[in-house]
Each structure stands twice: as structure tokens, then as C-alpha cells.
Amino acid sequence: MRALTVPFHATPDKLEVSTLAVPSIFAATDVLIRVHAASINPIDVKKAAGMTKLLETVSFPFVLGQDVSGVIVQRGDDAGDFNIGDEVYSPLLKGAAAADYVVTSSKHLCRKPVTISHSLAAALPTVATTALQALARAASLQPSGDLTGKTVFIPGALSGTGHIALQLAKRVFNAGHVITTASPEKIARIPELLGEGTVDQVIDYTTQDVHKEIERGSVDFVFDTMGDALSYFSLVRPETGVVISLATMPSGEQALKAYPETPWAAKVMLNLVDAWYQWRARRWAVGTYEFFFPDPDIYAKDLEKVAWWVGEGKLRPVIGRTARLEDLEGVIAGCTEVKSGKGGTGKFVIELV
Ligand SMILES: NC(=O)c1ccc[n+]([C@@H]2O[C@H](COP(=O)([O-])OP(=O)(O)OC[C@H]3O[C@@H](n4cnc5c(N)ncnc54)[C@H](OP(=O)(O)O)[C@@H]3O)[C@@H](O)[C@H]2O)c1
């Protein structure tokens, strides 16, 4: 089968389309999926480049792709309700989605939303489960236990995580005032891509200062997808405001849970960095600051909800760029854009069927 690989830790320009053996079902709960589409997340290109090598060892050739949408072609004896021919989507714990076939556990699988293509479905798993769980966590930390009517700030309107989080914040969590940031070329496209009324205030982050545009101490929840959490502490409501970040640094304990190979020294270093963040958060009287990793044990349930909201028209994934796997130039361009963290709109999807 074909697979998108790097032969060693490398930047996207070294990507290759390799020929590998079709993977075999290992556990009774596993399924073999014929991949129709795979989306690329920043973590794929970071892992390929060796940016996480302190925390985990990857084997080579390393196959990229954390998100899959495809059709089950083989199932283990204990694969639950899933059958051959089912169209499914999933965030893969072990990656390797950018290949003709992938084996994964049925425990993290869900039937794909019927109203959208495999490409659109592949755009959803990681960003939708992450955004949903982060919003649910932020809601649980509010004194009211929800985000209804609350002021929410989610930078990066058309980033992978941001574009989904904004829609969920407004249409599922009923946030009152939803603020975001974008570069000038993207601002005009926000209503068209995310739906009229999803966002109440857009700040052009290239020319405007969020600290001038957002009143100090007025935000109930900041979802930091850019790693700028520290600079947002002054914006949150004292004592109750919540800052959840996907892109600062996990604490040592969080790293160890997500990456069991995390060395002792790295754990200590991460705990020190986290302690510093917590200290800064306390100085601004932030109610809660947390780095966030989603819980894989609830992926399947989350994806069922996501499929439902897609069907109801509450959630629409945005794809800025696609490439077929055989178009290596297009694949490299898409992965390079993801690695740069600039220029992309929504998700980059690789199509295989
Ligand atoms: N902890 C977790 O489990 C987890 C899960 C998912 C993602 N993440 C991390 O979260 C981060 C974001 O992921 P993603 O998939 O959303 O990334 P992404 O889609 O690749 O981010 C690129 C987008 O961000 C925008 N952007 C870049 N800098 C910006 C800034 N300063 N202000 C506003 N927008 C800006 C870009 O817009 P312009 O081109 O207009 O600049 C582009 O639209 C990554 O670091 C990723 O590794 C972590």
C-alpha cells in the first residue's frame, strides 16, 4: 500500500510516498480501515520533524496522519457494533492515517457524519474532540457550570482548532459574546465559512492590539490555541476567568500521562515551567489556567455528538487545501503550511480514494 512517510526526523520537504505492507489487525477490538481521506495536524509535522522526540520515540519510516475517514474492510472478533462496509472517522492514537490502509481500535471510532464527504469528515476528529472537551472543561469551571451568555475569546478564527471551537462556543455552548482574531485577508471570509453570527467581534491581530480591543477583566474563557496564554491573563474576569491552552506546555504529570516515555528530567523541567505559568496566573487573579490534552477515552462519544451537530447544521468543518496522496508536491506544500502555522485556512486534507 502507499503511505506518506519520512525516513528519519525531517521537515516536510523530505516527505515521501513509500510502499509498505498493509497493516494487520492485532487486537480483537481492532479494525482495518480503507482510508478515503486523512487530515494533517500540527502534531504530525512536529513529530516528523523530531520536535517531540524528548517525549516519545517514533519508528521509521514514520507515517503521518492523525485523523482518518474511511471504510472498514476487516474487523476483529470484538469490534463492537462496527461491521465491514461501515463508513467511520476517528482521531488515531497511533497515527499513520495518511496511507491506503490503517489499523485502529474500534474503541475510538465513530460512524462518519452521513451528510458530508470523507474529506470533510477527516478534517474533524482531532480538532473537534479537542475543542469540545476544552469547552466542556471551561464550562464546568464557571460558577454557573456553563458558558451560556458568557464572553469567550478564541484567537485564530480560521485555524484548525479555532474554527471548530468558535462554532461550538456559539451554537452548542450558547456563549454570549464570542471574540476572535484573524489576519486581514481572512476576516471577510469568517461569516461565509463559519456562519453569520458565529463571531461577535473580530480583531485583526496584525494591526490591532487585543489588549486595547478587549476590556481588561471581561472575558470568562480564553481558549489559547496559539501559545500566547500568558499575554491573555489580564483579559480574564478575576477569580472566575478560565484560560485553557493547547499550545503552551503540559505539566510534567500531563506529559507523562500522554507520553509515558517522558524522561524524569523533562518532567521536572515541565513542572517548573507550569509552576511559573500558575504563579503568573495567580498574580492576575485568573480563576484557572491549564494546559490541555483531550481524554481519548471519550473520543467515540464526542464524535457521535459532533456527527449529530454536523447533521443539524450547527458545525461545519472548513478545508483550506487538499492534495491527493500521489501529488507529492501538493502534499509537501500543505504539510509545509501546517508546519509554518501561517497562511492555512481550516484544515489540510490528503485524499486517497
Ligand atoms: N494539546 C492538544 O492536545 C492539541 C490539540 C490540537 C492542537 N494543538 C496545538 O494547538 C496549536 C494550534 O493548532 P491548529 O490545528 O489550530 O493550528 P493551525 O490550524 O495550523 O494554525 C494555523 C492558523 O493559525 C492562524 N494564526 C497563526 N498565528 C496567529 C496569531 N498570532 N493570531 C491569530 N491567528 C494566528 C493562522 O492564520 P494566519 O495565516 O492568518 O496567520 C492559521 O489560520 C498547535 O500548536 C497544535 O499543535 C494541541
Side-chain angles (χ1 to χ4, degrees):
M1 67 166 191
R2 302 166 306 159
L4 180 67
T5 60
V6 276
F8 42 79
H9 283 305
T11 46
D13 53 304
K14 300 287 187 306
L15 282 166
E16 298 173 345
V17 178
S18 308
T19 302
L20 303 180
V22 173
S24 303
I25 281 181
F26 182 71
T29 48
D30 283 350
V31 294
L32 177 68
I33 297 173
R34 171 70 173 110
V35 179
H36 283 233
S39 81
I40 298 295
N41 290 280
I43 192 67
D44 291 305
V45 284
K46 287 180 190 174
K47 277 189 186 181
M51 289 165 72
T52 58
K53 68 181 171 190
L54 195 62
L55 304 179
E56 67 171 350
T57 316
V58 302
S59 51
F60 295 102
F62 172 70
V63 184
L64 280 79
Q66 189 166 274
D67 286 333
V68 69
S69 183
V71 177
I72 296 179
V73 291
Q74 200 183 334
R75 48 158 282 156
D77 294 336
D78 194 13
D81 292 337
F82 293 102
N83 292 307
I84 292 171
D86 285 350
E87 296 191 315
V88 291
Y89 74 140
S90 179
L92 304 178
L93 296 193
K94 294 186 181 156
D100 284 319
Y101 295 91
V102 68
V103 165
T104 189
S105 169
S106 55
K107 290 181 183 161
H108 308 121
L109 213 55
C110 179
R111 284 183 178 74
K112 140 188 181 295
V114 288
T115 52
I116 58 173
S117 64
H118 280 291
S119 295
L120 283 165
L124 281 165
T126 293
V127 292
T129 52
T130 305
L132 173 56
Q133 290 190 29
L135 282 154
R137 172 79 181 143
S140 75
L141 290 166
Q142 299 297 321
S144 59
D146 61 28
L147 290 172
T148 304
K150 296 282 197 290
T151 298
V152 168
F153 174 40
I154 302 172
L158 296 181
S159 63
T161 48
H163 86 283
I164 295 293
L166 287 164
Q167 295 178 68
L168 291 175
K170 190 58 137 192
R171 302 211 196 94
V172 173
F173 287 84
N174 303 312
H177 188 66
V178 175
I179 311 168
T180 191
T181 58
S183 54
E185 318 78 64
K186 289 189 176 137
I187 289 177
R189 302 198 64 202
I190 294 173
E192 162 213 339
L193 294 175
L194 305 189
E196 290 287 344
T198 302
V199 169
D200 301 291
Q201 182 182 352
V202 185
I203 299 165
D204 171 355
Y205 79 85
T206 66
T207 58
Q208 292 174 292
D209 179 355
V210 293
H211 300 92
K212 292 199 176 122
E213 303 301 321
I214 302 175
E215 191 187 333
R216 180 184 280 202
S218 67
V219 180
D220 298 292
F221 171 44
V222 178
F223 187 32
D224 168 37
T225 63
M226 298 295 152
D228 293 331
L230 274 180
S231 78
Y232 301 142
F233 286 167
S234 61
L235 302 178
V236 303
R237 209 175 288 289
E239 310 303 336
T240 58
V242 174
V243 179
I244 286 179
S245 180
L246 296 181
T248 49
M249 292 223 197
S251 69
E253 280 67 31
Q254 287 176 309
L256 200 59
K257 196 168 170 211
Y259 298 99
E261 291 173 42
T262 302
W264 175 86
K267 185 182 155 202
V268 171
M269 189 272 289
L270 287 168
N271 275 336
L272 285 173
V273 174
D274 186 58
W276 185 69
Y277 271 86
Q278 298 297 348
W279 178 73
R280 291 289 301 268
R282 276 197 299 277
R283 283 182 52 110
W284 282 105
V286 172
T288 306
Y289 157 75
E290 286 177 357
F291 179 85
F292 189 78
F293 278 133
D295 176 1
D297 290 343
I298 54 173
Y299 279 163
K301 278 201 164 63
D302 287 347
L303 290 173
E304 270 175 37
K305 293 180 196 160
V306 167
W308 178 258
W309 293 323
V310 169
E312 281 191 316
K314 287 187 170 168
L315 190 58
R316 43 168 112 154
V318 170
I319 297 177
R321 188 192 269 268
T322 59
R324 293 200 55 78
L325 180 62
E326 55 273 22
D327 170 18
L328 187 57
E329 211 177 296
V331 169
I332 288 175
C335 290
T336 303
E337 187 172 74
V338 173
K339 181 145 192 312
S340 76
K342 292 285 174 193
T345 299
K347 296 297 308 273
F348 168 52
V349 173
I350 298 175
E351 296 172 333
L352 292 101
V353 170

